[in-house]
Amino acid sequence: MNKLSQITIGALLALGTVSAAQAGTLDDVKKKGFVQCGVSAGLAGFSAPDDKGNYSGIDVDICKAVAAAVFGDATKVKFTPLTAKERFTALQSGEVDLLSRNTTWTLNRDTAQGLSFTGVTYYDGQGFMVRKSLGVKSAKELDGASVCTETGTTTELNLSDYFKSNGLKYTVVALGSNSEAVAAYDSGRCDAYTTDASGLYATRIALAKPDDHIVLPEIISKEPLGPVVRQGDSQWFGVVKWSLFALVAAEEYGVTAANVDESKASSANPEVKRLLGAEGEFGTPMGLPNDWAYQIVKQLGNYGEVFDRNVGAGSPLKIDRGINALWSKGGLQYAPPFR
């Protein structure tokens, strides 16, 4: 074989490799006709099925936002309930296209496990719940306590750090799933239950006697919760990331599910017109239609609407926006420019 032939074959092989690399998650999702999304098996306000198996929650709406962006139809998503122990393996193996499961963004997860976090859906922090009968008003009074938690989470590590740094002794009761941890706490196997504060409020209202339990005031960690995709697929990473940013940007510009059509047709704000696809070609580089963000807002509303109906004032949890408010209102939610 002459040198020219070798070069030609080498170039064709390289081209084949590039083409294969480009055939990523977005292409796979389009071919099968839905987004396969990994969620919690049951956490009120975040992802929980009803008696017919229909999921709802803020994490669920992120999955639906991606489906709306890709297909123009937020219903084109299927949900895989995953425990904390199962979630990363399911994503790494390709069992799910996207993980939206109250998962904390950490350095190790973002660099050493083949994962990429696309943003923050909900800024949270770990806390404790106890029975009022225990007579405890502060986490610093939990010396010698037994604490229920879910294994395979950052919660266990934070728990250890907190008690060690405060010179407190404790016994951990680590269970394989959140539901098992809650059941153990509810049955009296431990003095306290610890998880993200949002999870504590969701758990408390589901207990037989919610008023018998209190959430202690201390927040012992930073828990930025957000969607996760596999590393190495920049196109899919962009689709998921900007689907979340579209929700936040819409709230910043006052675009809602109710006024999105009017905003698209008559807004004088160039950034609103770019966001909703009335100007520019901002969907094309991501492999999406130009109205991808319009479809998200039309079908799901903006970030504020998603927050309120799932965990905020319009939900049973009634969690205050707090640091999940927009940056312009004292919170941390912020979207980069749409330009």
Side-chain angles (χ1 to χ4, degrees):
M1 184 182 293
N2 62 41
K3 187 172 182 180
L4 180 59
S5 297
Q6 290 176 336
I7 292 172
T8 302
I9 291 173
L12 289 171
L13 289 172
L15 180 60
T17 301
V18 170
S19 298
Q22 289 177 340
T25 307
L26 180 60
D27 290 335
D28 292 341
V29 166
K30 287 180 177 179
K31 285 178 183 176
K32 66 187 178 185
F34 59 88
V35 178
Q36 192 73 48
C37 194
V39 294
S40 168
L43 181 61
F46 286 80
S47 60
D50 61 18
D51 56 3
K52 295 182 180 179
N54 298 312
Y55 279 84
S56 64
I58 192 169
D59 286 340
V60 168
D61 279 351
I62 297 301
C63 303
K64 290 181 177 180
V66 174
V70 174
F71 299 108
D73 185 348
T75 68
K76 290 191 174 183
V77 54
K78 295 184 179 180
F79 298 100
T80 301
L82 299 168
T83 66
K85 187 176 181 180
E86 297 168 336
R87 56 185 166 174
F88 298 135
T89 302
L91 180 60
Q92 292 159 344
S93 68
E95 181 183 346
V96 297
D97 306 309
L98 160 67
L99 182 67
S100 184
R101 187 203 175 281
N102 58 296
T103 298
T104 302
W105 188 350
T106 70
L107 184 151
N108 179 267
R109 290 173 175 175
D110 204 38
T111 61
Q113 296 191 38
L115 309 173
S116 291
F117 283 77
T118 64
V120 179
T121 305
Y122 187 96
Y123 289 95
D124 211 343
Q126 186 174 331
F128 297 89
M129 180 166 61
V130 299
R131 294 172 187 78
K132 289 180 180 178
S133 60
L134 193 64
V136 169
K137 302 297 183 185
S138 166
K140 292 182 179 179
E141 299 173 20
L142 290 174
D143 191 25
S146 56
V147 185
C148 282
T149 189
E150 182 179 5
T151 191
T153 66
T154 55
T155 308
E156 277 188 281
L157 304 177
N158 295 334
L159 178 63
S160 175
D161 288 348
Y162 181 78
F163 275 77
K164 185 181 295 184
S165 64
N166 284 281
L168 304 174
K169 295 180 180 180
Y170 75 105
T171 301
V172 65
V173 181
L175 286 305
S177 68
N178 183 63
S179 59
E180 290 177 296
V182 172
Y185 167 75
D186 200 23
S187 68
R189 283 182 59 188
C190 47
D191 301 309
Y193 166 64
T194 184
T195 190
D196 297 339
S198 57
L200 295 177
Y201 286 103
T203 298
R204 180 177 173 274
I205 64 170
L207 295 176
K209 296 181 178 180
D211 291 341
D212 289 353
H213 307 264
I214 59 169
V215 176
L216 299 178
E218 287 83 3
I219 297 296
I220 69 169
S221 69
K222 294 185 293 184
E223 306 292 335
L225 311 178
V228 195
V229 296
R230 289 179 291 278
Q231 282 183 3
D233 190 337
S234 59
Q235 184 184 44
W236 185 243
F237 175 82
V239 169
V240 177
K241 174 175 64 176
W242 284 96
S243 293
L244 173 57
F245 284 149
L247 291 167
V248 176
E251 184 181 10
E252 291 186 41
Y253 303 136
V255 181
T256 67
N259 69 20
V260 65
D261 288 314
E262 179 184 354
S263 297
K264 183 177 182 179
S266 59
S267 176
N269 185 332
E271 194 147 359
V272 170
K273 298 183 85 65
R274 290 192 291 267
L275 169 70
L276 300 180
E279 287 185 1
E281 299 286 332
F282 294 96
T284 303
M286 292 191 290
L288 300 177
N290 281 323
D291 70 343
W292 63 275
Y294 163 84
Q295 294 294 343
I296 292 174
V297 182
K298 178 69 174 178
Q299 297 177 52
L300 296 164
N302 61 38
Y303 178 82
E305 291 174 286
V306 170
F307 186 99
D308 285 346
R309 71 168 169 264
N310 289 303
V311 298
S315 77
L317 299 183
K318 301 193 182 305
I319 298 174
D320 186 74
R321 283 290 292 269
I323 58 174
N324 286 291
L326 294 177
W327 66 278
S328 57
K329 296 183 179 179
L332 298 176
Q333 288 294 350
Y334 184 101
F338 276 70
R339 65 164 55 258

